[in-house]
Amino acid sequence: RGLAPWRTLQEGVDQVGELVGASSGAGEQRLDLERLASGPALDELVEQGSARAIGCSNFSAEQLAEADDIAASNGKSRFIALQNQYSLLERDADEEVLPLCRERNVGFVTYFPLVSGLLTSKYRRGEAPAEGTRLARGAGELLSDTTFDEVDRLAAFAEERGRSLHELAIAA
């Protein structure tokens, strides 16, 4: 199948954009999962050949299950991938999200596996992040002593095994 014309693709993207609800405060957005999973926007992109498959990002296990159930019960395209933050320091997905992905046959794609460079020894305890880096734009609690204690523990673990912290972070 060939790709659908840009206009058709843009219309689908616009429809998806309409599904993001009004802000509920602090820059947080609400997503209307019922309309997203049962509506035509994403499904039409797949049917037209504009997209081979669809995925989602930053969904909790509850949101993914709800969207998958709605899509399945309405005969719509289901998400084949979920992209969430995941690293040696951010393991929230272990408890509910990853088991659900396995159960529902949804691929899991990580983002920030190196925690914006924190797990590459790019940043040092007590030193301000270099200007222009991600962590210089809003590191907040990420550059705390508690975080650096964990990074030091992980670096020692890797070194004891003849590996770098970077290698350990990617292998995890």
Side-chain angles (χ1 to χ4, degrees):
R1 297 186 303 197
L3 291 179
W6 168 251
R7 178 176 158 84
T8 304
L9 178 59
Q10 185 59 49
E11 287 169 359
V13 171
D14 290 344
Q15 290 173 29
V16 171
E18 291 172 14
L19 299 178
V20 177
S23 174
S24 60
E28 191 176 307
Q29 293 180 323
R30 261 186 357 265
L31 186 60
D32 185 342
L33 288 175
E34 178 73 36
R35 286 185 56 208
L36 176 66
S38 64
L42 296 176
D43 200 54
E44 285 181 6
L45 291 175
V46 174
E47 287 177 5
Q48 296 165 354
S50 298
R52 290 183 182 173
I54 56 173
C56 55
S57 183
N58 295 320
F59 272 32
S60 66
E62 181 181 342
Q63 290 171 314
L64 180 60
E66 181 181 352
D68 191 53
D69 289 344
I70 292 167
S73 67
N74 287 289
K76 301 294 183 183
S77 296
R78 296 160 76 177
F79 293 129
I80 65 147
L82 168 64
Q83 182 182 38
N84 281 7
Q85 184 174 349
Y86 190 73
S87 70
L88 287 172
L89 300 179
E90 175 61 54
R91 307 297 287 203
D92 290 346
D94 285 340
E95 195 170 312
E96 295 180 358
V97 172
L98 288 174
L100 181 67
C101 285
R102 279 189 289 276
E103 175 188 317
R104 305 271 179 132
N105 201 29
V106 174
F108 186 81
V109 181
T110 66
Y111 70 85
F112 292 145
L114 299 175
V115 192
S116 298
L118 190 61
L119 296 177
T120 65
S121 303
K122 181 178 184 176
Y123 301 98
R124 304 274 182 228
R125 186 187 305 260
E127 295 178 15
E131 192 173 321
T133 61
R134 281 192 177 132
L135 294 186
R137 294 190 300 258
E141 69 282 347
L142 191 56
L143 296 177
S144 69
D145 282 336
T146 302
T147 301
F148 277 109
D149 289 346
E150 183 65 12
V151 169
D152 290 345
R153 187 185 70 74
L154 291 166
F157 177 87
E159 188 175 318
E160 289 168 5
R161 287 151 182 81
R163 299 295 181 186
S164 69
L165 177 58
H166 181 242
E167 289 174 305
L168 177 64
I170 293 299

